[in-house]
Amino acid sequence: MTAPDLDLASLIADPYGGYTRLRADAPVHRVVGPDGLPFWLVTRYPDVRQALADPRLALDKAHAAPGNYRGFALPPALDANLLNMDPPDHTRIRRLVSQAFTPRRIAALRAPIEKVAGQLLDAMAPAGRADLLAAYAAPLPITVICDLLGVPEDDRHDFRAWTDSLITPDPDRPEATRAAVKAMLGFFTGLIERKRTQPGDDLLSDLTTVRDESVRGGAEGGDRLTEDELTSLAFLILFAGYENTVHLIANAVLALLTHPEQLAALRAEPELIDGAVEEFARFDGPAPLAIRRFPREDVTIGGVTVPAGETVLLALGSANRDPAQFTDPDRLDLRRRETGHLALGHGIHYCLGAPLARMETAVALNALLRRFPDLALDVPVEQLRHRPTLRARGLLELPVRY
């Protein structure tokens, strides 16, 4: 149950092999993190799924025991987001933003996404080789989510650098992360002010209007938004909508290029794409861990009692490779019939942007495979490097030739 000597570096380097060993040993492990603070790591599918929907496990950091959790400090104007909220605030905010992700609105985005994908592939084509992450997997979702929110094109160029600083902060350069946070806060504050004076046909203009009308009307509760919640919501939509989809696309391409029989099957039967996206998310999803949780009371998970206020991390990547739930789970199978992967969450905190991420990934892969029938890795797979973090499962680059 206790794994104080767990080598987190090796778990980052070989997460699925590491999780196989952890699942076999015990359902829950008490681990000492790199910051010297302990956390409870839940690895088996039934326990992870149940915990994701357990209302006794809070996201609000106010439920963390003193000295138990350090986390990453964001200013209040970026921290008041859905990843730190429980009902009723979570319910109120999620209801407001759900208007952006209705089936009709997602369907209306397909043609623009196909257009952007085609433009990016046109730009790549003459070179015959590229870093697919930088040239395709990253700019596609950032364009889509910025269009959805109404972010002007001239304001998009720094966003990837900011998100990289937050996801994989350099311990030797903490000032870089602080600078990124400051820049993002200034960016979103300024953008919202522009939406107040020059609203457009976009989600952020709509949310800003909701915020201002509720203030003028003196609304209490209901659909009221505070200014910090509005800014934090814009930050979360842009950050999560970009970050997760980038890695879902890139990880899917890598999975195909390292499993030629599956690549051939998808080329032969493009109609497999929707089920294939689910399998890519299960096989190597972008979020190895769910957002940390804090028990409101002592909670028993997998037969292990976790004290109130201690930090709990739910290993989505481990649950999605649990042989108790999935047959031959380490095998990529685009025709897999088993459902229920947890890559996009479960329960009330299920990823709100999941339909958009699925559609973007399907469009991106179909367009890529049609355009470049000879797509291949441009370096040995052993030379590829992943981000050195448990927070995200993503490549640093993906060199390909075509």
Side-chain angles (χ1 to χ4, degrees):
M1 182 179 68
T2 301
D5 298 325
L6 177 66
D7 184 354
L8 293 181
S10 66
L11 187 60
I12 292 170
D14 179 24
Y16 300 113
Y19 283 133
T20 295
R21 294 187 291 273
L22 289 172
R23 281 194 310 269
D25 184 54
V28 181
H29 296 263
R30 193 169 189 268
V31 178
V32 177
D35 59 1
L37 297 177
F39 63 87
W40 297 85
L41 185 64
V42 184
T43 59
R44 294 179 184 173
Y45 182 94
D47 303 317
V48 171
R49 189 177 191 276
Q50 183 176 1
L52 284 169
D54 191 334
R56 297 173 300 171
L57 297 177
L59 268 66
D60 190 338
K61 290 176 284 190
H63 293 282
N68 178 261
Y69 174 75
R70 191 169 295 131
F72 184 77
L74 287 172
L78 298 181
D79 206 39
N81 63 63
L82 291 170
L83 298 184
N84 296 318
M85 287 182 177
D86 303 303
D89 287 334
H90 176 272
T91 308
R92 171 174 55 86
I93 301 298
R94 190 176 176 104
R95 181 171 59 244
L96 284 170
V97 74
S98 63
Q99 64 184 286
F101 300 104
T102 61
R104 178 177 296 180
R105 194 158 191 170
I106 297 301
L109 292 171
R110 178 176 288 274
I113 293 171
E114 290 174 342
K115 180 180 179 181
V116 173
Q119 292 170 339
L120 292 170
L121 294 173
D122 286 345
M124 286 173 51
R129 53 178 18 100
D131 173 6
L132 196 72
L133 191 70
Y136 189 61
L140 179 61
I142 193 59
T143 300
V144 171
I145 207 69
C146 284
D147 285 347
L148 183 68
L149 277 172
V151 178
E153 288 191 22
D154 290 345
D155 292 330
R156 302 177 184 184
H157 57 283
D158 292 326
F159 192 75
R160 186 179 179 195
W162 293 340
T163 58
D164 286 348
S165 292
L166 295 184
I167 290 293
T168 53
D170 185 343
D172 297 325
R173 298 180 63 243
E175 71 282 357
T177 302
R178 289 193 294 268
V181 170
K182 182 178 180 180
M184 293 184 81
L185 177 57
F187 167 75
F188 285 113
T189 301
L191 181 60
I192 289 169
E193 285 306 311
R194 272 183 281 169
K195 296 300 179 183
R196 287 195 163 103
T197 58
Q198 300 174 346
D201 183 19
D202 57 75
L203 176 62
L204 188 53
S205 292
D206 293 345
L207 291 172
T208 302
T209 299
V210 168
R211 153 69 181 160
D212 293 348
E213 288 182 348
S214 70
V215 170
R216 286 193 294 269
E220 295 292 337
D223 286 340
R224 179 178 55 81
L225 267 177
T226 69
E227 191 70 13
D228 281 354
E229 287 171 346
L230 174 60
T231 309
S232 296
L233 190 54
F235 162 72
L236 179 63
I237 293 171
L238 196 55
F239 184 84
Y242 161 74
E243 184 69 23
N244 287 334
T245 311
V246 169
H247 299 310
L248 183 56
I249 293 171
N251 292 356
V253 173
L254 176 59
L256 286 171
L257 296 182
T258 53
H259 294 80
E261 76 291 348
Q262 298 298 308
L263 175 58
L266 187 56
R267 287 193 184 281
E269 301 177 64
E271 63 273 15
L272 291 175
I273 189 62
D274 289 340
V277 170
E278 300 304 315
E279 176 66 350
F280 295 134
R282 181 204 70 82
F283 182 75
D284 197 16
L289 302 170
I291 189 71
R292 76 286 173 276
R293 284 157 165 79
F294 310 103
R296 302 170 189 265
E297 60 191 61
D298 292 358
V299 173
T300 299
I301 304 175
V304 177
T305 299
V306 179
E310 299 207 354
T311 304
V312 176
L313 294 178
L314 307 175
L316 306 178
S318 176
N320 287 335
R321 295 285 191 105
D322 190 340
Q325 180 67 23
F326 300 100
T327 303
D328 197 3
D330 293 325
R331 177 173 57 91
L332 181 71
D333 181 3
L334 303 192
R335 292 187 173 86
R336 185 179 295 274
R337 296 186 179 276
E338 297 154 318
T339 60
H341 71 75
L342 303 175
L344 300 170
H346 173 66
I348 66 169
H349 297 290
Y350 183 79
C351 177
L352 191 60
L356 179 57
R358 287 186 172 102
M359 194 258 282
E360 284 184 74
T361 303
V363 168
L365 294 176
N366 272 338
L368 179 68
L369 297 182
R370 284 197 306 268
R371 185 61 179 273
F372 300 131
D374 57 347
L375 185 72
L377 281 176
D378 202 29
V379 298
V381 67
E382 295 80 12
Q383 291 184 16
L384 295 175
R385 296 176 300 139
H386 285 83
R387 290 189 172 198
T389 177
L390 284 175
R391 295 181 185 178
R393 174 69 175 170
L395 292 159
L396 293 173
E397 57 183 5
L398 182 56
V400 295
R401 62 179 184 274
Y402 40 88

